[in-house]
Amino acid sequence: MTTLHRVEPPRTAVRPRAVARAGLYALLAANVAVVTVFFVQAGFASNALIVTGRLAGLYAALLMAFQLLLVARLPFFDRRIGMDRLTSWHRWVGFGLLWLLVAHGVFIVFGYAQASSMGPVDQLVDLAETVEGVLRAIVAMALIMVVGAISARYARRRLAYETWHFIHLYTYLAVVLAFTHQVAAGSTFTASATATAYWYALWGTALGAVLVGRVVLPVGRNLRHRLRVTAVVPESDHVVSIYVSGRDLDRLPARAGQFFLWRFLTRDRWWQANPFSLSAAPDGTHLRLTAKTAGDGTAALRHLKVGTRVFAEGPYGAFTTMHRTRPDTLLIAGGVGITPMRALLEELHGHVVLIYRVATDQDAVLYAELTELAHAKGAELHLVTGPAVPDKLAPRDIATLVPDVADRDVYVCGPPGMTTAVLRTLGDLGVPRAQIHAERFSLAG
């Protein structure tokens, strides 16, 4: 009889995600306190509206710097929190930033208008003409409002990612304009040498984080590894696997469950970045991604030539074994969401159950591989087929397939509707939230 030895995941007093999240909260709270102290030290204006407007402006500047940190793609935070959560926080913080900027402008203009007995519009024009930096602040505000409008869910769904991303880049111009406005007109900025040094350090750190995370690291890694396509393997009529190799891949800090933003440097695709998960655990010699070739952009993947240069940003994502809390695991995948699960199944220790939800048997991508791998690892593989309605992953169904589901870590990846339904089901089954791991692989919220 073969004995299955269960390997306990490393246990720590505080989980990595909680540590990173608490660190971000503490960082923001500490800077709010520092900014408030500098504001008080600078002294108050006689007009309460102006005082309120200045404070709103300072907090807006702080949130703007925090926004940059959230999307800097720094490995420490990304591996512990995940790009999807960081992007979601960035989006909601962005709306808070927008309202603070509106409050800053409105209170300042009405405050000065009250003091000068001018109308608000005339006062705004006067400030733009006579006070250095105000016109730049108005332009920055307009840019942020445009970016905020296209980031609203209704507009975002109707824009191609490349269009949305190009417009979103104007945020960096807004940041520069806002900073120069603060330098020119911010009384708190110039109140003391300490305050001036603080603001320069804050903006320098935020912009430096973006430069490191989004330029230096990706460029450096691609120069080191020199990735190229080594094989293109059709898995079905609409799914293709692409094998990528390069130099020193054993030094690339990629883990099963993570994804890259892939750019294939052909004449018609070099400008497109697509997020695809690794569909096999990294082995130090090659990387594999498996993609559904349904849209115009991804359909061209089937025709990539061996030897095509690849520019890959990443690895990204917290959908890894780093966050395990239990020795046994349940993987629930839907459709092409099986790709990170295939990689995780290869890496996981302990007893693993994989539930694979598809419409028909023909839609079960990589099923032969999964069957072989599950047999080798002593894992259970359940293929669940049928239409979306009725729900075949309802609480009773999952409890029947996996009676000890509440004692396992559960990883979920699939279409948004399925993922949302399964997460609700897991809650109904009493699975603790700390044991549930799900990540939406997308470039923007």
Side-chain angles (χ1 to χ4, degrees):
M1 179 181 293
T2 301
T3 302
L4 179 64
H5 296 283
R6 296 187 177 181
V7 180
E8 291 280 350
R11 295 183 179 274
T12 57
V14 183
R15 296 297 166 192
R17 181 175 290 118
V19 171
R21 188 168 51 224
L24 281 177
Y25 292 161
L27 181 66
L28 181 59
N31 280 276
V32 168
V34 171
V35 167
T36 304
V37 169
F38 285 144
F39 174 74
V40 173
Q41 289 178 345
F44 298 119
S46 58
N47 189 307
L49 293 176
I50 296 177
V51 171
T52 304
R54 286 178 178 172
L55 186 59
L58 290 174
Y59 289 154
L62 179 58
L63 276 191
M64 195 177 291
F66 189 65
Q67 281 276 76
L68 295 176
L69 182 63
L70 290 176
V71 293
R73 298 178 184 170
L74 297 178
F76 178 85
F77 291 113
D78 179 77
R79 292 172 188 167
R80 288 161 177 80
I81 297 175
M83 186 189 289
D84 63 331
R85 288 182 177 86
L86 290 171
T87 302
S88 178
W89 294 355
H90 170 80
R91 180 173 180 270
W92 288 109
V93 169
F95 288 123
L97 167 64
L98 181 60
W99 285 111
L100 278 174
L101 289 174
V102 169
H104 171 63
V106 169
F107 281 111
I108 288 291
V109 169
F110 276 81
Y112 276 103
Q114 185 182 80
S116 65
S117 300
M118 297 175 64
V121 175
D122 292 336
Q123 184 63 68
L124 177 61
V125 173
D126 181 69
L127 288 172
E129 291 176 345
T130 60
V131 180
E132 183 183 358
V134 170
L135 184 58
R136 282 170 285 184
I138 293 172
V139 174
M141 177 67 179
L143 289 173
I144 290 174
M145 291 184 72
V146 169
V147 171
I150 67 164
S151 297
R153 202 172 298 275
Y154 177 84
R156 175 67 189 90
R157 288 174 176 171
R158 284 158 177 77
L159 289 175
Y161 168 75
E162 288 76 18
T163 302
W164 175 88
H165 184 259
F166 178 77
I167 298 173
H168 210 76
L169 289 176
Y170 281 100
T171 303
Y172 294 108
L173 176 59
V175 168
V176 173
L177 292 173
F179 176 66
T180 59
H181 163 68
Q182 187 178 20
V183 171
S187 58
T188 304
F189 186 91
T190 58
S192 67
T194 303
T196 302
Y198 165 81
W199 282 108
Y200 272 115
L202 178 73
W203 285 109
T205 300
L207 290 170
V210 172
L211 182 64
V212 169
R214 305 193 72 158
V215 179
V216 175
L217 274 178
V219 171
R221 285 174 175 169
N222 281 274
L223 288 175
R224 167 184 285 182
H225 300 299
R226 299 190 180 185
L227 303 174
R228 290 184 182 274
V229 173
T230 54
V232 179
V233 180
E235 303 289 356
S236 70
D237 291 342
H238 300 292
V239 177
V240 64
S241 288
I242 299 171
Y243 291 78
V244 176
S245 295
R247 301 188 311 176
D248 302 326
L249 289 188
D250 57 315
R251 302 179 65 181
L252 182 65
R255 300 188 60 172
Q258 291 189 301
F259 68 100
F260 287 79
L261 307 183
W262 303 91
R263 292 179 188 270
F264 298 96
L265 304 184
T266 62
R267 181 177 300 176
D268 57 343
R269 286 195 56 85
W270 66 267
W271 54 276
Q272 290 183 314
N274 294 104
F276 296 123
S277 300
L278 297 174
S279 60
D283 62 3
T285 62
H286 74 276
L287 305 172
R288 187 182 77 171
L289 63 114
T290 301
K292 187 174 183 180
T293 57
D296 293 337
T298 54
L301 295 176
R302 184 178 294 273
H303 306 293
L304 284 174
K305 303 297 184 183
V306 171
T308 299
R309 289 292 302 271
V310 181
F311 189 93
E313 299 176 49
Y316 297 128
F319 198 68
T320 67
T321 59
M322 171 189 282
H323 301 283
R324 288 182 66 199
T325 64
R326 313 294 295 177
D328 297 334
T329 311
L330 168 61
L331 308 176
I332 303 177
V336 79
I338 192 62
T339 56
M341 298 303 199
R342 158 63 178 80
L344 282 170
L345 178 60
E346 190 174 353
E347 182 179 292
L348 282 166
H349 298 286
H351 185 257
V352 182
V353 178
L354 170 58
I355 300 176
Y356 188 7
R357 180 72 169 93
V358 290
T360 66
D361 291 346
Q362 290 71 30
D363 296 319
V365 180
L366 305 177
Y367 188 66
E369 280 188 28
L370 292 166
T371 302
E372 182 179 348
L373 185 58
H375 177 73
K377 295 183 69 72
E380 296 179 32
L381 173 61
H382 300 283
L383 183 65
V384 179
T385 61
V389 180
D391 183 9
K392 293 193 175 183
L393 295 180
R396 181 178 60 184
D397 302 295
I398 291 181
T400 299
L401 292 174
V402 194
D404 62 343
V405 59
D407 294 324
R408 295 174 177 266
D409 276 296
V410 185
Y411 288 77
V412 184
C413 186
M418 189 208 91
T419 299
T420 299
V422 169
L423 293 179
R424 187 184 309 116
T425 294
L426 294 174
D428 294 339
L429 290 171
V431 181
R433 189 171 180 179
Q435 295 170 213
I436 301 174
H437 315 283
E439 192 166 64
R440 289 175 172 83
F441 304 99
S442 60
L443 292 170

